[in-house]
Amino acid sequence: MSDQSNRRRSGGRAARRAARSEAAQEAVPFLTRSMPPVEVVSEEGLVVIEDNAETILEEVGIDFQEYPRALELLGSAGAQVDGERVRFPRGMCREIVGASAPSTYTHHARNPARSVQVGGDATVFVPSYGSPFVHDLDDGRRYATIEDFNNFVKLAYQSPHLHLSGGTVCEPVDVPVSKRHLDMVYAHLRYSDKPFMGSVTAAERAQDTVDMAKLVFGDEFVEANTVVTSLINASSPMAWDATMLGAADVYAQHNQATMLSPFILAGAMAPVTVAGVAAQTLAEALAGMTFVQVVRPGAPMIFGSFASSMSMQTGAPTFGTPEPALVLYTVAALARRLGLPFRSGGSLCASKIPDAQAAAESMATLVPTVMAGVNFVLHAAGWLEGGLAMGYEKFVIDADQCGLMARFMNGVDLSDNGQAMAAIRETGPGQHFLGSAHTLENFESAFARSEVANNDSFEQWSEEGSLDAAQRANGIWKKMLADYQAPALDEAADEALGEFMKRRGAEIPDAFA
Amino acid sequence: MSDQSNRRRSGGRAARRAARSEAAQEAVPFLTRSMPPVEVVSEEGLVVIEDNAETILEEVGIDFQEYPRALELLGSAGAQVDGERVRFPRGMCREIVGASAPSTYTHHARNPARSVQVGGDATVFVPSYGSPFVHDLDDGRRYATIEDFNNFVKLAYQSPHLHLSGGTVCEPVDVPVSKRHLDMVYAHLRYSDKPFMGSVTAAERAQDTVDMAKLVFGDEFVEANTVVTSLINASSPMAWDATMLGAADVYAQHNQATMLSPFILAGAMAPVTVAGVAAQTLAEALAGMTFVQVVRPGAPMIFGSFASSMSMQTGAPTFGTPEPALVLYTVAALARRLGLPFRSGGSLCASKIPDAQAAAESMATLVPTVMAGVNFVLHAAGWLEGGLAMGYEKFVIDADQCGLMARFMNGVDLSDNGQAMAAIRETGPGQHFLGSAHTLENFESAFARSEVANNDSFEQWSEEGSLDAAQRANGIWKKMLADYQAPALDEAADEALGEFMKRRGAEIPDAFA
């Protein structure tokens, strides 16, 4: 059968692409590494950093701000409480966390085929989180709306390379801040069937998240299983605030997962050195995770770390630089030594637009993320401008790279087919391999395919409009949204969600700040 | 002293940048890794691949095309010669190469402060090589000229992040092909004082390279030391051609270094699998390196590897994909086991322009290059369009990333200053580190600085014209060329070079193909 007849029958390149795209939708729910994680610090070095973290916990202490319950619980568990300052005897946090925190957990999706393992040799890619702005090539940068939020949930649902539909994929600033968590949680439950992240901006919003999840997953299921993983940021340096503690408290009580994440702009919220940032990150995370374990021993948790460097001229955060990559490798090793799931990295950049700076910085973060064995990759797609903007084209470009990284993680195939000695014998010196039986047999799956890259000749590329990667990505997200079809949701559950939102919407006063 | 008075005295931001740029010129001549290289294949897996390479050498054989001297020398050394096909008894190549090839060598620059170590824990970044086209934002893509060639030599000389001024940084197609090697070698000797690469397009051009180097370094120095490293590509699969063998022969006789590089577009010149490409690469390189060592035992060599994947739709080469990265890690490990310097990687991409595709693909190659411990990083800066074009802006963007990678290679500082416990004690919970003594002491050197990235606020960036990375790079290379000052060259040597070129130019007939 010639290429030509094949093309006629099947509808040509577009049809083949569609077929591939369908196949891609059958992607695995999470990735499994086959390679050992990269270590950049020796074991002795890691012991020094761990010892420094214990010194911070014991001598400097961690503030638990305006949350008396944390002081009571931690005091009862053996910490010394002085006002809001909590000092932990050497080894206390490590012992409590080590005794009860699970090394892996299952984060259930409403579609069981999309449930993910968090921790161990599993990796999940998750959209960016928390941007007040969105950016696209058509309208530039503007405040995000609930329509943008829904769009990014739909895009994450459609991407075979992202494993969660995310959390606050952008801040829908057109909805009152006091109510927007309802719309956000609804979007994740309605427009996607992938796992999602819950609200953390107040304890009662965390409770609303749990309650809404129960309307879809069922009461008993939620109390017995993890259906949301939520981002609990520290108020670095060395403090946790009442808002985050309150949300963590609610989630832990319901056995839902929390991601305790020191949030460090090195030089401002921590020392300017990698080892200093790592020790402080470990101390802060241990303190936060100890709180969660005393609330509910065994509640699933992720050791989180977010670290950026800064411009020493302007104080602006910088991304994709060597120091945060070194922090990432170092803290990943510390998390492994604790036996806990680890969150860090992503596709971080300072660029305002999806240009070469954005891509270089993002890759300088994403590749270490993968090599370090990060389990939960928040900010894997969409991040622009230090997190201030969620980019539509950036989302497409990043997700595409996540797909390539997934293939990298499979490592080297050393089967007989992988060794390909028959092909080498068959072909021999000076001949080409294009027609060899081995090449034809492996044709479809041999190489990972980028959906964004253009590999055509200069002439063909010019004829087709000389588009850059961002322009091609623009066409891709528009087509994805046009093609979007919502996953089925039980009608009764959808109605119950609507009623819940109506009731809570009436109870909660509007507030925009 | 306020910022303002500081600005007035020193001339402000521009002056501070200039001071930094001068400091950068004092960069180290080559990089020294402090971290172990990343391994992606187990030792047992590497043994399998080595065994397969021996099978290729023994049973399939390697062609040495139209170069009878190679057949004679290799036959005398113990290989079985059948026409142009040479089969090597198991272990023969490894034994010959292992017996005499140096594990590291010094590639001398005419400025001794810029001489580099090749091999071991040293890494050098070298500009791209061999493009017939150049690209810049002003004029787009066009054939390269000798002016472009000289420009790139000047840019590489000026960049603190590149350690050689390169070889065929682009093909000056306005100079007859039969003579252009004279102009290229002259440019490297005149416009730069960094180490450089020699001509390989004919044995007599290699000889001209050596003769011109002698006019600057002196006869005796060149015969006793390595002053050029030259790229000898295989005619993969499993063949070496007369042109490359002739050049390698001349260089080896003069104790100059050669880089024996299988050049593989997987799927066309090798099987489509990583382990297949790795075994074939090892076999081809071993055969070529064996030839060099029988020409002159002890001649310095680099084990080279160039591997790309291909689009299985169009047959076009693709870059920055996972498979070439896995090949890179695998072959780097094979070279380490041979105890030889290794060349691979760079900033490879298929993109026609310095956009997000170019940057993502380049970083997906450059980061593995660094993590794998590549010693000689050809194509580190400028590569566009699968090597068809050398980009001015791409060169600036890539060199900047090389600078960041250099900082990454320093690893984590675990000194007392690096641990920064005093800063953490001094600052404490809830305070910021900006004014701490430790921050102020480490202010200047704490974080690597990109020269291309923009970290300003969206508003400031917009006010300054909303430039993308390529547009900023455009300004940077123009300023570099405007600021260029040639390094001193002994007048007598310069005259001798001129006379040599005049004489050889008259002897050699013009030829453009």
Side-chain angles (χ1 to χ4, degrees), chain A residues 116-134:
Chain A
V116 300
Q117 178 187 320
V118 178
D121 55 6
T123 291
V124 291
F125 288 123
V126 186
S128 281
Y129 185 107
S131 305
F133 299 101
V134 293

PDB file of all heavy atoms in Angstrom, chain A residues 116-134:
ATOM      1  N   VAL A 116      -3.875   8.654  40.932  1.00  0.00           N
ATOM      2  CA  VAL A 116      -2.410   8.687  40.836  1.00  0.00           C
ATOM      3  C   VAL A 116      -1.766   8.219  42.137  1.00  0.00           C
ATOM      4  O   VAL A 116      -2.325   8.386  43.224  1.00  0.00           O
ATOM      5  CB  VAL A 116      -1.894  10.111  40.510  1.00  0.00           C
ATOM      6  CG1 VAL A 116      -2.460  10.597  39.178  1.00  0.00           C
ATOM      7  CG2 VAL A 116      -2.206  11.108  41.624  1.00  0.00           C
ATOM      8  N   GLN A 117      -0.571   7.649  41.988  1.00  0.00           N
ATOM      9  CA  GLN A 117       0.267   7.394  43.157  1.00  0.00           C
ATOM     10  C   GLN A 117       1.110   8.636  43.392  1.00  0.00           C
ATOM     11  O   GLN A 117       1.626   9.229  42.446  1.00  0.00           O
ATOM     12  CB  GLN A 117       1.167   6.181  42.922  1.00  0.00           C
ATOM     13  CG  GLN A 117       2.103   5.900  44.096  1.00  0.00           C
ATOM     14  CD  GLN A 117       3.111   4.795  43.803  1.00  0.00           C
ATOM     15  OE1 GLN A 117       2.777   3.791  43.183  1.00  0.00           O
ATOM     16  NE2 GLN A 117       4.343   4.990  44.260  1.00  0.00           N
ATOM     17  N   VAL A 118       1.228   9.050  44.635  1.00  0.00           N
ATOM     18  CA  VAL A 118       2.099  10.168  44.972  1.00  0.00           C
ATOM     19  C   VAL A 118       3.207   9.640  45.872  1.00  0.00           C
ATOM     20  O   VAL A 118       2.937   9.085  46.940  1.00  0.00           O
ATOM     21  CB  VAL A 118       1.320  11.296  45.679  1.00  0.00           C
ATOM     22  CG1 VAL A 118       2.259  12.437  46.062  1.00  0.00           C
ATOM     23  CG2 VAL A 118       0.193  11.813  44.793  1.00  0.00           C
ATOM     24  N   GLY A 119       4.461   9.817  45.421  1.00  0.00           N
ATOM     25  CA  GLY A 119       5.605   9.341  46.206  1.00  0.00           C
ATOM     26  C   GLY A 119       6.247   8.117  45.589  1.00  0.00           C
ATOM     27  O   GLY A 119       5.792   7.604  44.563  1.00  0.00           O
ATOM     28  N   GLY A 120       7.334   7.678  46.193  1.00  0.00           N
ATOM     29  CA  GLY A 120       8.065   6.526  45.680  1.00  0.00           C
ATOM     30  C   GLY A 120       8.698   6.842  44.339  1.00  0.00           C
ATOM     31  O   GLY A 120       9.295   7.910  44.157  1.00  0.00           O
ATOM     32  N   ASP A 121       8.551   5.941  43.379  1.00  0.00           N
ATOM     33  CA  ASP A 121       9.131   6.183  42.060  1.00  0.00           C
ATOM     34  C   ASP A 121       8.119   6.777  41.085  1.00  0.00           C
ATOM     35  O   ASP A 121       8.330   6.777  39.882  1.00  0.00           O
ATOM     36  CB  ASP A 121       9.766   4.896  41.486  1.00  0.00           C
ATOM     37  CG  ASP A 121       8.767   3.748  41.452  1.00  0.00           C
ATOM     38  OD1 ASP A 121       7.578   3.975  41.761  1.00  0.00           O
ATOM     39  OD2 ASP A 121       9.178   2.621  41.111  1.00  0.00           O
ATOM     40  N   ALA A 122       7.003   7.306  41.634  1.00  0.00           N
ATOM     41  CA  ALA A 122       5.975   7.913  40.778  1.00  0.00           C
ATOM     42  C   ALA A 122       6.197   9.416  40.644  1.00  0.00           C
ATOM     43  O   ALA A 122       6.679  10.071  41.569  1.00  0.00           O
ATOM     44  CB  ALA A 122       4.593   7.648  41.364  1.00  0.00           C
ATOM     45  N   THR A 123       5.844   9.940  39.491  1.00  0.00           N
ATOM     46  CA  THR A 123       5.882  11.384  39.243  1.00  0.00           C
ATOM     47  C   THR A 123       4.581  11.816  38.599  1.00  0.00           C
ATOM     48  O   THR A 123       4.082  11.132  37.702  1.00  0.00           O
ATOM     49  CB  THR A 123       7.060  11.752  38.314  1.00  0.00           C
ATOM     50  OG1 THR A 123       8.290  11.562  39.016  1.00  0.00           O
ATOM     51  CG2 THR A 123       6.996  13.218  37.866  1.00  0.00           C
ATOM     52  N   VAL A 124       4.025  12.939  39.073  1.00  0.00           N
ATOM     53  CA  VAL A 124       2.864  13.538  38.397  1.00  0.00           C
ATOM     54  C   VAL A 124       3.193  14.983  38.027  1.00  0.00           C
ATOM     55  O   VAL A 124       3.857  15.696  38.767  1.00  0.00           O
ATOM     56  CB  VAL A 124       1.578  13.517  39.263  1.00  0.00           C
ATOM     57  CG1 VAL A 124       1.070  12.089  39.424  1.00  0.00           C
ATOM     58  CG2 VAL A 124       1.795  14.155  40.641  1.00  0.00           C
ATOM     59  N   PHE A 125       2.722  15.363  36.836  1.00  0.00           N
ATOM     60  CA  PHE A 125       2.864  16.745  36.369  1.00  0.00           C
ATOM     61  C   PHE A 125       1.533  17.464  36.576  1.00  0.00           C
ATOM     62  O   PHE A 125       0.478  16.955  36.185  1.00  0.00           O
ATOM     63  CB  PHE A 125       3.245  16.782  34.885  1.00  0.00           C
ATOM     64  CG  PHE A 125       4.658  16.341  34.609  1.00  0.00           C
ATOM     65  CD1 PHE A 125       4.927  15.289  33.741  1.00  0.00           C
ATOM     66  CD2 PHE A 125       5.732  16.996  35.194  1.00  0.00           C
ATOM     67  CE1 PHE A 125       6.237  14.892  33.466  1.00  0.00           C
ATOM     68  CE2 PHE A 125       7.036  16.604  34.935  1.00  0.00           C
ATOM     69  CZ  PHE A 125       7.294  15.551  34.074  1.00  0.00           C
ATOM     70  N   VAL A 126       1.586  18.648  37.168  1.00  0.00           N
ATOM     71  CA  VAL A 126       0.402  19.388  37.605  1.00  0.00           C
ATOM     72  C   VAL A 126       0.510  20.823  37.084  1.00  0.00           C
ATOM     73  O   VAL A 126       1.597  21.407  37.143  1.00  0.00           O
ATOM     74  CB  VAL A 126       0.327  19.384  39.155  1.00  0.00           C
ATOM     75  CG1 VAL A 126      -0.954  20.024  39.637  1.00  0.00           C
ATOM     76  CG2 VAL A 126       0.485  17.961  39.705  1.00  0.00           C
ATOM     77  N   PRO A 127      -0.584  21.403  36.586  1.00  0.00           N
ATOM     78  CA  PRO A 127      -0.516  22.774  36.060  1.00  0.00           C
ATOM     79  C   PRO A 127      -0.021  23.786  37.099  1.00  0.00           C
ATOM     80  O   PRO A 127      -0.037  23.527  38.302  1.00  0.00           O
ATOM     81  CB  PRO A 127      -1.969  23.084  35.688  1.00  0.00           C
ATOM     82  CG  PRO A 127      -2.614  21.766  35.455  1.00  0.00           C
ATOM     83  CD  PRO A 127      -1.933  20.816  36.419  1.00  0.00           C
ATOM     84  N   SER A 128       0.346  24.953  36.609  1.00  0.00           N
ATOM     85  CA  SER A 128       0.755  26.048  37.490  1.00  0.00           C
ATOM     86  C   SER A 128      -0.397  26.465  38.386  1.00  0.00           C
ATOM     87  O   SER A 128      -1.552  26.106  38.145  1.00  0.00           O
ATOM     88  CB  SER A 128       1.223  27.242  36.662  1.00  0.00           C
ATOM     89  OG  SER A 128       2.526  27.018  36.221  1.00  0.00           O
ATOM     90  N   TYR A 129      -0.073  27.250  39.391  1.00  0.00           N
ATOM     91  CA  TYR A 129      -0.988  27.492  40.505  1.00  0.00           C
ATOM     92  C   TYR A 129      -0.850  28.930  40.980  1.00  0.00           C
ATOM     93  O   TYR A 129       0.259  29.386  41.244  1.00  0.00           O
ATOM     94  CB  TYR A 129      -0.577  26.541  41.624  1.00  0.00           C
ATOM     95  CG  TYR A 129      -1.447  26.509  42.873  1.00  0.00           C
ATOM     96  CD1 TYR A 129      -2.277  25.417  43.112  1.00  0.00           C
ATOM     97  CD2 TYR A 129      -1.413  27.524  43.816  1.00  0.00           C
ATOM     98  CE1 TYR A 129      -3.053  25.350  44.269  1.00  0.00           C
ATOM     99  CE2 TYR A 129      -2.197  27.473  44.962  1.00  0.00           C
ATOM    100  CZ  TYR A 129      -3.013  26.377  45.191  1.00  0.00           C
ATOM    101  OH  TYR A 129      -3.774  26.296  46.327  1.00  0.00           O
ATOM    102  N   GLY A 130      -1.987  29.629  41.057  1.00  0.00           N
ATOM    103  CA  GLY A 130      -2.017  30.864  41.833  1.00  0.00           C
ATOM    104  C   GLY A 130      -1.851  32.182  41.104  1.00  0.00           C
ATOM    105  O   GLY A 130      -1.773  33.225  41.756  1.00  0.00           O
ATOM    106  N   SER A 131      -1.819  32.196  39.773  1.00  0.00           N
ATOM    107  CA  SER A 131      -1.555  33.455  39.052  1.00  0.00           C
ATOM    108  C   SER A 131      -2.786  34.356  39.016  1.00  0.00           C
ATOM    109  O   SER A 131      -3.865  33.911  38.620  1.00  0.00           O
ATOM    110  CB  SER A 131      -1.167  33.161  37.600  1.00  0.00           C
ATOM    111  OG  SER A 131      -0.080  32.283  37.545  1.00  0.00           O
ATOM    112  N   PRO A 132      -2.629  35.629  39.357  1.00  0.00           N
ATOM    113  CA  PRO A 132      -3.759  36.558  39.199  1.00  0.00           C
ATOM    114  C   PRO A 132      -3.993  36.961  37.744  1.00  0.00           C
ATOM    115  O   PRO A 132      -5.077  37.410  37.401  1.00  0.00           O
ATOM    116  CB  PRO A 132      -3.334  37.775  40.032  1.00  0.00           C
ATOM    117  CG  PRO A 132      -1.831  37.691  40.098  1.00  0.00           C
ATOM    118  CD  PRO A 132      -1.488  36.228  40.038  1.00  0.00           C
ATOM    119  N   PHE A 133      -2.963  36.804  36.898  1.00  0.00           N
ATOM    120  CA  PHE A 133      -3.087  37.219  35.497  1.00  0.00           C
ATOM    121  C   PHE A 133      -3.056  36.003  34.575  1.00  0.00           C
ATOM    122  O   PHE A 133      -2.561  34.936  34.953  1.00  0.00           O
ATOM    123  CB  PHE A 133      -1.936  38.154  35.098  1.00  0.00           C
ATOM    124  CG  PHE A 133      -1.888  39.423  35.891  1.00  0.00           C
ATOM    125  CD1 PHE A 133      -0.989  39.572  36.952  1.00  0.00           C
ATOM    126  CD2 PHE A 133      -2.737  40.480  35.586  1.00  0.00           C
ATOM    127  CE1 PHE A 133      -0.950  40.747  37.697  1.00  0.00           C
ATOM    128  CE2 PHE A 133      -2.698  41.660  36.321  1.00  0.00           C
ATOM    129  CZ  PHE A 133      -1.807  41.794  37.378  1.00  0.00           C
ATOM    130  N   VAL A 134      -3.602  36.189  33.390  1.00  0.00           N
ATOM    131  CA  VAL A 134      -3.384  35.216  32.318  1.00  0.00           C
ATOM    132  C   VAL A 134      -2.739  35.961  31.144  1.00  0.00           C
ATOM    133  O   VAL A 134      -2.770  37.196  31.073  1.00  0.00           O
ATOM    134  CB  VAL A 134      -4.693  34.524  31.845  1.00  0.00           C
ATOM    135  CG1 VAL A 134      -5.258  33.629  32.942  1.00  0.00           C
ATOM    136  CG2 VAL A 134      -5.710  35.548  31.379  1.00  0.00           C
TER     137      VAL A 134
END
